[in-house]
Amino acid sequence: EAGVAQSPRYKIIEKRQSVAFWCNPISGHATLYWYQQILGQGPKLLIQFQNNGVVDDSQLPKDRFSAERLKGVDSTLKIQPAKLEDSAVYLCASSSGQGGQETQYFGPGTRLLVL
Amino acid sequence: AQSVTQLDSQVPVFEEAPVELRCNYSSSVSVYLFWYVQYPNQGLQLLLKYLSGSTLVKGINGFEAEFNKSQTSFHLRKPSVHISDTAEYFCAVSVPRSGYNKLIFGAGTRLAVHP
């Protein structure tokens, strides 16, 4: 079974530029998550999708971050414009269900450096 | 609101020695508890989880954890570590609520196994 795929793996941009990350979840997984992991911290949930609907985006900085999951499969997370404090690893995860007991399967992440 | 505290940011240990990684949580409601491992440049992988029932949970790679409700702890243990166990370990909680699957992570414990 293929795991969660993410691209690119690494990205370096200047502040105020825009950037987009792509995620393809495990086949058949209805729930998709984007987490932000700042160096030295645990991952923090940015947004959760159930199929193509948003379940929780309470911690997404909506003035600069946006995410979509068209057709309920793969997803894109965008930052525009980027700030220095956005430097982090962006992790995508998926699960088959949406109860709190579900195991989330994580991709390798995209490491973003904002200069 | 829920929170997770991992009491040690770094744990050095010699190969074949036992190890315990400590995790305490705070919540006004019942929670599910998880331990994830993150190897360098990889995503997170589930080690084990506690949903209900027996308070001693066995996971992959010889790890186990014990849920202690009175002390609100979920410490991770392994009786004999290997060099390959060197990684970052994250404790996390989620709330048993239908349609809601947010994982709240601790800051992580870096386990360094020395020969």
Side-chain angles (χ1 to χ4, degrees):
Chain A
E1 176 181 82
V4 177
Q6 290 188 247
S7 68
R9 292 295 312 275
Y10 306 92
K11 191 74 177 178
I12 301 175
I13 61 173
E14 301 278 336
K15 61 183 179 183
R16 292 187 289 273
Q17 285 186 324
S18 62
V19 64
F21 313 128
W22 174 82
C23 171
N24 192 36
I26 292 173
S27 177
H29 279 192
T31 312
L32 185 146
Y33 318 79
W34 284 102
Y35 287 86
Q36 180 191 56
Q37 185 179 15
I38 293 172
L39 187 65
Q41 300 180 20
K44 181 185 79 173
L45 181 70
L46 292 175
I47 188 167
Q48 176 186 339
F49 291 96
Q50 176 68 17
N51 296 310
N52 61 351
V54 175
V55 173
D56 182 0
D57 63 356
S58 58
Q59 297 193 86
L60 187 74
K62 298 180 187 63
D63 58 333
R64 297 183 301 105
F65 286 65
S66 65
E68 60 183 11
R69 192 184 183 198
L70 300 176
K71 302 179 182 178
V73 181
D74 55 353
S75 175
T76 302
L77 177 69
K78 297 179 181 177
I79 308 175
Q80 182 178 13
K83 293 185 175 181
L84 296 178
E85 59 261 36
D86 298 332
S87 294
V89 177
Y90 291 86
L91 295 164
C92 180
S94 69
S95 65
S96 57
Q98 57 176 337
Q101 76 278 14
E102 294 289 335
T103 296
Q104 295 184 26
Y105 297 86
F106 286 79
T110 296
R111 188 175 298 273
L112 174 67
L113 179 61
V114 182
L115 302 175
Chain B
Q2 291 73 40
S3 66
V4 178
T5 302
Q6 292 185 242
L7 299 162
D8 306 292
S9 59
Q10 297 186 63
V11 173
V13 64
F14 286 112
E15 193 174 19
E16 298 183 5
V19 71
E20 178 180 80
L21 306 183
R22 297 180 293 167
C23 172
N24 285 94
Y25 68 93
S26 174
S27 177
S28 58
V29 299
S30 296
V31 294
Y32 297 133
L33 294 151
F34 304 79
W35 275 99
Y36 279 84
V37 61
Q38 186 175 34
Y39 298 103
N41 296 317
Q42 295 185 28
L44 281 72
Q45 178 185 4
L46 180 69
L47 275 178
L48 49 80
K49 60 183 176 182
Y50 173 79
L51 304 181
S52 65
S54 173
T55 57
L56 184 62
V57 181
K58 294 191 182 297
I60 62 171
N61 300 341
F63 284 93
E64 64 181 31
E66 185 155 20
F67 170 58
N68 187 318
K69 187 174 183 179
S70 62
Q71 297 188 9
T72 61
S73 67
F74 191 53
H75 301 333
L76 182 70
R77 302 186 184 99
K78 186 170 183 179
S80 176
V81 295
H82 303 290
I83 295 290
S84 59
D85 293 323
T86 294
E88 187 99 24
Y89 292 79
F90 292 95
C91 182
V93 302
S94 71
V95 176
R97 191 170 95 199
S98 178
Y100 187 74
N101 205 19
K102 179 178 180 178
L103 277 174
I104 298 165
F105 287 89
T109 297
R110 186 171 299 274
L111 176 65
V113 182
H114 300 277

